[in-house]
Amino acid sequence: MRLVGSAITIAVAILGFAAIAQQTGTGTDQPPAGSPPPPTPPANGSQPQVDESALRYFASQGDTRRVNAEIARLRALYPNWTPPSDLSQLSGAAGGAAPDPLIERLWNLYREDRIAEVRATITERQTADPSWKPPEELVTALDMVEARRRLTNASDTGQWRTVLQVATESPGLLTCTNVDVMWRVAEAFARTDQPNRTRDVYTYLLQNCANPGERLATLQKALTLLPEPQVTALLQFERKTGETPDDFTSIRDELARRRVERASLDSKLTASAEDLAVVERMIQNTNEAGPVLILGWYNYHHGNPARALELFKTALDRDGGTKAAEGYAMALRALERLADAEAFAYEWRERAPENMKIYLDVATALLSQDPPPRLEPQVLARIVPVVTAQRFSDAAQALGWYSYNTEQIRTARDWFRTALGWKADDEASAYGLALTTQRLNDRAGFNAVVAQWRGRSQRIAELADGTNPAARRQPVAAPAVVAQVPAAQPAESTPPPVQPRPASSRVTVERVETEQTFTRTEANVRRRQSQARSTLGRSCAITRNPAGLTGDSALTRGWCLMEINRPMEAVAAFDQAIATGSGRTREEAAYGKSLAYLRKNMTSEAAVAAAEAPQTRERRVELGASILTQRALAAYRDGRYVETLLALTERARIVPEQNDLLLIRGWSYLKLGRYDDAAKVFRAVQQTGYSEEAAAGLNAIAEVTGQMRY
């Protein structure tokens, strides 16, 4: 193809063939409107008159690159022109005339890219001599330089329409001597949603331009702007022979890598063996993590997690970052190495949202195994704070089932409630809450769940009707040794727990149990018990079924049984009173039943019993304080110090906190490593008369911290 076709071809791509034809006639052999028309070739076929001043100047300077560029430009404008075979002939003017020093100076300024000075010098000369004209080739060269600058500036600032306008007005720019301009025009087409014209520009470059580096760069640019099928089609122009053959291997490899990458994200797509081999070769030839990650995800999504695990490990070693860590954890999970996956994912959980998500998913899967796994306490200590902070309902539900299946029923109930708090429409958590409240004889709680879910959950309805087998089935047997699940509550960031002076803390608990738990409650009911005992005498000691008794008789029997410390038999009597008695009798019986359960440390049952009949505000406060006291003490004995603090805090909202319970609070703070809080509590107690035990607590803090300021 003749170079004169360059400007025409690209101009056609810019304006459309119809517009070009309208401006130039119907032929494509003519230059577009606005460009200097080439002289009409002489009829006798002799050489046309061509301004070779620029060529002479560049030859005199020994500037071979510019000489070649000027020859190419002149050939494009004058197809019949032939450059001199001996470039030394160009050192003088045509016809032996000496070159004009001003012309030589103008070309010098042009060569130094001092375009403004060239324009100023021309204007100055024409002012002095209006008949003088600069060489046409110099004017054209100046126009091209200025047009190229405008086009480049427009491209750099994203003014794509301006790029195309300048290219249309200056088609002389669109030659292989200005490949960068051609690339910018191609990008302008792409940015204005004309990909086919972008392809046309690249096609022209590959068909006509010879520089191997520029040809390869053309395809590299095409990779960023064109659909892959169009890039693949451009590979047909690879020149495999000649002095400077092409090597488009890197382009083919990149296309293969992209195909594997797409298949790595979609299990329905399968990469060819050839493409997979290309990515394997990339892994061997570079130390980058990118190809390793692609192949790792491909293997993960195509059923080969073992190979994926190896690749993700390699990617981690190559600083593959959070994506490599995500893949490694997911591969461990796919291999059912859930404990390893949880430990690994925990370390990466805060690096990226995806890493947090995979940690929560892995933790949920770990807890959901059947039968429940034997988890170390530190594992649960890792999981619970993260689940709480992220409010992840699936993991909260899993903690509920794990607790349920390891016979931690109260904790399971708390986690199911928490899961529902985070996701109100979670039927599985509602079902778990129904099961646990039923197991704990929490009638009010169970009835509330049933009332809310009966119409939405068949199995909850069946549980309420007694037709669900789970109502009779025991949970999965717990492992021989199982870690206790912390209750559902915001986790506190604390140092490792300590074990200060266990004897002192045990004495404190014993004092609370013997001196304080029932003091107020028993004082208020002692009269009822005495009256019942005096009424029935020793007859209440005889075991009998309370069924058939009237409400008042059953109530009296219940108080009598409480007097002789047989609380569980008293419960049956109080139940009869609740079932058959008047409103006042039912209130008294519910009150007595709650006290009976409290004597057996059955706090949940006591709370349910208290709700079976309306109570006065004084009784509600009284029972609530007693129930929370027992819960705090039970949690403290079991080493559940956060639960202890929660129960004590709840109790302090309704009644003043006693000194002995304050000591329990202080020891709980100490065991959680909250030394400043513990010290404040112990000092407060010390000022009210419990100086010995408070001092023991302060000494324990000092021993642990090594600071005498406590």
Side-chain angles (χ1 to χ4, degrees), residues 203-246:
T203 298
Y204 176 82
L205 284 167
L206 293 171
Q207 286 179 327
N208 296 278
C209 302
N211 185 295
E214 293 174 344
R215 292 167 60 79
L216 178 60
T218 296
L219 279 170
Q220 290 170 340
K221 291 180 178 297
L223 279 170
T224 66
L225 296 174
L226 290 180
E228 288 182 25
Q230 290 190 357
V231 178
T232 302
L234 292 175
L235 290 171
Q236 65 181 301
F237 300 113
E238 184 177 21
R239 297 175 179 175
K240 299 182 179 180
T241 59
E243 295 182 1
T244 54
D246 294 323

Coordinates of all heavy atoms in Angstrom, one line a residue, residues 203-246:
T203 N -4.9 -2.3 12.7 CA -4.7 -3.1 11.5 C -3.8 -2.4 10.5 O -2.9 -3.0 9.9 CB -6.1 -3.4 10.8 OG1 -6.9 -4.2 11.7 CG2 -5.9 -4.2 9.5
Y204 N -4.0 -1.1 10.3 CA -3.2 -0.3 9.3 C -1.7 -0.3 9.8 O -0.8 -0.5 9.0 CB -3.7 1.1 9.2 CG -2.8 1.9 8.3 CD1 -2.9 1.9 6.9 CD2 -1.8 2.7 8.9 CE1 -2.0 2.6 6.1 CE2 -0.9 3.4 8.1 CZ -1.0 3.3 6.7 OH -0.1 4.0 6.0
L205 N -1.6 -0.1 11.1 CA -0.2 -0.1 11.7 C 0.5 -1.4 11.4 O 1.7 -1.4 11.0 CB -0.2 0.3 13.2 CG -0.5 1.7 13.5 CD1 -0.8 1.8 15.0 CD2 0.7 2.6 13.2
L206 N -0.2 -2.5 11.7 CA 0.5 -3.8 11.6 C 0.7 -4.2 10.1 O 1.6 -4.9 9.8 CB -0.4 -4.9 12.3 CG -0.5 -4.7 13.8 CD1 -1.5 -5.7 14.4 CD2 0.9 -5.0 14.4
Q207 N -0.1 -3.7 9.2 CA 0.1 -4.0 7.8 C 1.1 -3.1 7.1 O 1.8 -3.6 6.2 CB -1.3 -3.8 7.0 CG -2.3 -4.8 7.3 CD -3.6 -4.6 6.6 OE1 -4.0 -3.4 6.4 NE2 -4.3 -5.6 6.1
N208 N 1.4 -1.9 7.7 CA 2.3 -1.0 6.9 C 3.5 -0.5 7.7 O 4.5 -0.1 7.0 CB 1.5 0.2 6.6 CG 0.3 -0.1 5.6 OD1 0.5 -0.2 4.4 ND2 -0.9 -0.3 6.1
C209 N 3.5 -0.6 9.0 CA 4.7 -0.1 9.7 C 5.6 -1.2 10.1 O 5.2 -2.3 10.4 CB 4.2 0.6 11.0 SG 3.1 2.0 10.6
A210 N 6.9 -0.9 10.0 CA 7.9 -2.0 10.0 C 8.6 -2.2 11.4 O 9.2 -3.3 11.6 CB 9.0 -1.8 8.9
N211 N 8.6 -1.2 12.2 CA 9.4 -1.3 13.4 C 8.9 -2.4 14.3 O 7.7 -2.3 14.8 CB 9.4 0.1 14.2 CG 10.3 0.1 15.4 OD1 10.1 -0.6 16.3 ND2 11.3 0.9 15.3
P212 N 9.6 -3.4 14.7 CA 9.1 -4.6 15.5 C 8.6 -4.1 16.9 O 7.6 -4.6 17.4 CB 10.3 -5.5 15.6 CG 11.2 -5.2 14.4 CD 11.0 -3.7 14.3
G213 N 9.4 -3.2 17.5 CA 9.0 -2.8 18.8 C 7.7 -2.0 18.8 O 6.8 -2.2 19.7
E214 N 7.5 -1.2 17.8 CA 6.2 -0.5 17.7 C 5.1 -1.4 17.3 O 3.9 -1.2 17.8 CB 6.3 0.6 16.6 CG 7.3 1.7 17.0 CD 7.5 2.8 15.9 OE1 7.2 2.5 14.8 OE2 8.1 3.9 16.3
R215 N 5.3 -2.4 16.6 CA 4.3 -3.4 16.2 C 3.8 -4.2 17.4 O 2.7 -4.4 17.7 CB 4.8 -4.3 15.1 CG 5.0 -3.6 13.8 CD 5.8 -4.5 12.8 NE 5.2 -5.8 12.5 CZ 4.2 -5.9 11.7 NH1 3.7 -4.9 11.0 NH2 3.6 -7.1 11.5
L216 N 4.8 -4.6 18.3 CA 4.5 -5.3 19.5 C 3.7 -4.4 20.4 O 2.7 -4.8 21.1 CB 5.7 -5.8 20.2 CG 5.5 -6.6 21.5 CD1 4.6 -7.8 21.3 CD2 6.9 -7.0 22.1
A217 N 4.2 -3.1 20.5 CA 3.5 -2.2 21.4 C 2.1 -1.9 20.9 O 1.2 -1.7 21.8 CB 4.3 -0.9 21.5
T218 N 1.9 -2.0 19.6 CA 0.5 -1.8 19.1 C -0.4 -2.8 19.6 O -1.5 -2.6 20.1 CB 0.5 -1.8 17.6 OG1 1.3 -0.7 17.1 CG2 -0.9 -1.7 17.0
L219 N 0.0 -4.1 19.6 CA -0.8 -5.2 20.2 C -1.0 -5.1 21.7 O -2.0 -5.4 22.2 CB -0.2 -6.5 19.8 CG -0.5 -7.0 18.4 CD1 0.4 -8.2 18.0 CD2 -1.9 -7.3 18.2
Q220 N 0.1 -4.6 22.4 CA -0.1 -4.4 23.8 C -1.1 -3.4 24.1 O -1.9 -3.5 25.1 CB 1.3 -4.0 24.4 CG 2.3 -5.1 24.4 CD 3.7 -4.7 24.8 OE1 4.0 -3.5 24.7 NE2 4.5 -5.6 25.1
K221 N -1.2 -2.3 23.3 CA -2.2 -1.3 23.5 C -3.6 -1.9 23.1 O -4.6 -1.6 23.8 CB -1.9 -0.1 22.7 CG -0.7 0.7 23.2 CD -0.4 1.9 22.4 CE 0.7 2.7 22.9 NZ 0.5 3.2 24.3
A222 N -3.6 -2.7 22.1 CA -4.9 -3.3 21.7 C -5.5 -4.2 22.8 O -6.7 -4.3 23.0 CB -4.7 -4.1 20.4
L223 N -4.6 -4.8 23.6 CA -5.0 -5.7 24.7 C -5.8 -4.9 25.7 O -6.7 -5.4 26.4 CB -3.8 -6.3 25.4 CG -3.2 -7.6 24.8 CD1 -1.9 -7.9 25.4 CD2 -4.2 -8.7 24.9
T224 N -5.5 -3.6 25.9 CA -6.1 -2.8 26.9 C -7.4 -2.1 26.4 O -8.2 -1.6 27.2 CB -5.2 -1.6 27.4 OG1 -4.9 -0.7 26.3 CG2 -3.9 -2.2 27.9
L225 N -7.6 -2.1 25.1 CA -8.7 -1.4 24.5 C -9.7 -2.2 23.7 O -10.9 -1.8 23.6 CB -8.2 -0.2 23.6 CG -7.4 0.8 24.3 CD1 -6.8 1.8 23.3 CD2 -8.2 1.6 25.3
L226 N -9.3 -3.3 23.2 CA -10.2 -4.1 22.3 C -10.7 -5.4 23.0 O -10.0 -5.9 23.8 CB -9.4 -4.4 21.0 CG -9.2 -3.3 20.0 CD1 -8.4 -3.8 18.8 CD2 -10.4 -2.6 19.6
P227 N -11.8 -5.9 22.5 CA -12.2 -7.2 23.0 C -11.2 -8.3 22.5 O -10.6 -8.1 21.5 CB -13.6 -7.4 22.3 CG -14.0 -6.1 21.9 CD -12.8 -5.2 21.6
E228 N -11.1 -9.3 23.3 CA -10.1 -10.3 23.0 C -10.2 -10.9 21.6 O -9.2 -11.2 21.0 CB -10.1 -11.4 24.1 CG -9.5 -10.9 25.4 CD -9.4 -11.9 26.5 OE1 -9.4 -13.1 26.1 OE2 -9.5 -11.6 27.7
P229 N -11.4 -11.2 21.1 CA -11.5 -11.8 19.7 C -10.8 -10.8 18.7 O -10.2 -11.3 17.8 CB -13.0 -11.9 19.5 CG -13.6 -12.1 20.9 CD -12.7 -11.2 21.8
Q230 N -11.0 -9.5 18.8 CA -10.4 -8.6 17.9 C -8.9 -8.6 18.0 O -8.1 -8.5 17.0 CB -10.9 -7.2 18.1 CG -12.4 -7.1 17.6 CD -12.9 -5.6 17.6 OE1 -12.1 -4.7 18.0 NE2 -14.1 -5.4 17.2
V231 N -8.4 -8.7 19.3 CA -6.9 -8.8 19.5 C -6.4 -10.1 18.9 O -5.3 -10.1 18.2 CB -6.6 -8.7 21.0 CG1 -5.0 -8.9 21.2 CG2 -7.1 -7.5 21.6
T232 N -7.1 -11.2 19.1 CA -6.7 -12.5 18.5 C -6.6 -12.3 17.0 O -5.7 -12.9 16.3 CB -7.6 -13.6 18.9 OG1 -7.7 -13.7 20.3 CG2 -7.2 -14.9 18.3
A233 N -7.6 -11.7 16.4 CA -7.6 -11.5 14.9 C -6.4 -10.7 14.4 O -5.8 -10.9 13.3 CB -8.9 -10.8 14.5
L234 N -5.9 -9.8 15.2 CA -4.7 -9.0 14.8 C -3.4 -9.8 14.8 O -2.4 -9.4 14.2 CB -4.5 -7.8 15.8 CG -5.6 -6.7 15.7 CD1 -5.4 -5.7 16.8 CD2 -5.7 -6.0 14.3
L235 N -3.4 -10.9 15.5 CA -2.2 -11.7 15.5 C -1.8 -12.3 14.1 O -0.7 -12.7 13.9 CB -2.3 -12.9 16.5 CG -2.4 -12.5 18.0 CD1 -2.8 -13.7 18.8 CD2 -1.0 -11.9 18.4
Q236 N -2.8 -12.3 13.2 CA -2.5 -12.8 11.9 C -1.5 -12.0 11.1 O -0.9 -12.4 10.2 CB -3.8 -12.9 11.1 CG -4.4 -11.5 10.8 CD -5.7 -11.5 10.0 OE1 -5.7 -12.0 8.9 NE2 -6.7 -11.0 10.6
F237 N -1.2 -10.8 11.6 CA -0.3 -9.9 10.9 C 1.1 -10.0 11.4 O 2.0 -9.2 11.1 CB -0.7 -8.4 11.0 CG -2.1 -8.2 10.5 CD1 -3.2 -7.8 11.3 CD2 -2.3 -8.3 9.1 CE1 -4.4 -7.6 10.8 CE2 -3.6 -8.0 8.6 CZ -4.6 -7.7 9.4
E238 N 1.4 -11.0 12.2 CA 2.7 -11.3 12.7 C 3.6 -11.6 11.6 O 3.3 -12.5 10.7 CB 2.7 -12.4 13.8 CG 4.1 -12.7 14.4 CD 4.0 -13.7 15.5 OE1 3.1 -14.5 15.5 OE2 4.9 -13.8 16.3
R239 N 4.8 -11.0 11.5 CA 5.8 -11.2 10.5 C 6.8 -12.1 11.0 O 7.6 -11.7 11.9 CB 6.4 -9.9 10.0 CG 5.4 -9.0 9.3 CD 6.0 -7.6 9.0 NE 5.1 -6.7 8.3 CZ 5.4 -5.5 8.0 NH1 6.6 -5.0 8.3 NH2 4.5 -4.7 7.4
K240 N 6.9 -13.4 10.5 CA 7.8 -14.3 11.0 C 9.1 -14.5 10.2 O 10.0 -15.3 10.5 CB 7.1 -15.7 11.1 CG 5.9 -15.7 12.0 CD 5.2 -17.0 12.1 CE 4.0 -17.0 13.1 NZ 3.4 -18.3 13.2
T241 N 9.2 -13.7 9.1 CA 10.4 -13.8 8.2 C 10.9 -12.4 8.1 O 10.3 -11.4 8.6 CB 10.0 -14.3 6.9 OG1 9.0 -13.5 6.3 CG2 9.5 -15.8 7.0
G242 N 12.0 -12.2 7.4 CA 12.6 -10.9 7.1 C 13.7 -10.6 8.1 O 14.1 -11.4 9.0
E243 N 14.3 -9.4 8.0 CA 15.4 -9.1 8.8 C 15.0 -8.8 10.3 O 15.7 -9.0 11.2 CB 16.1 -7.8 8.3 CG 16.7 -8.0 6.9 CD 17.4 -6.7 6.4 OE1 17.4 -5.7 7.2 OE2 18.0 -6.8 5.3
T244 N 13.8 -8.3 10.5 CA 13.3 -8.0 11.8 C 11.9 -8.7 12.0 O 10.9 -8.0 12.0 CB 13.2 -6.5 12.0 OG1 12.3 -6.0 11.0 CG2 14.5 -5.8 12.0
P245 N 11.9 -10.0 12.2 CA 10.6 -10.7 12.4 C 10.0 -10.3 13.8 O 10.7 -9.9 14.7 CB 11.0 -12.2 12.4 CG 12.5 -12.2 12.9 CD 13.1 -10.9 12.3
D246 N 8.7 -10.5 13.8 CA 7.9 -10.2 15.0 C 8.0 -11.4 16.0 O 8.3 -12.5 15.6 CB 6.5 -9.9 14.7 CG 6.3 -8.7 13.9 OD1 7.0 -7.7 14.1 OD2 5.4 -8.7 13.0

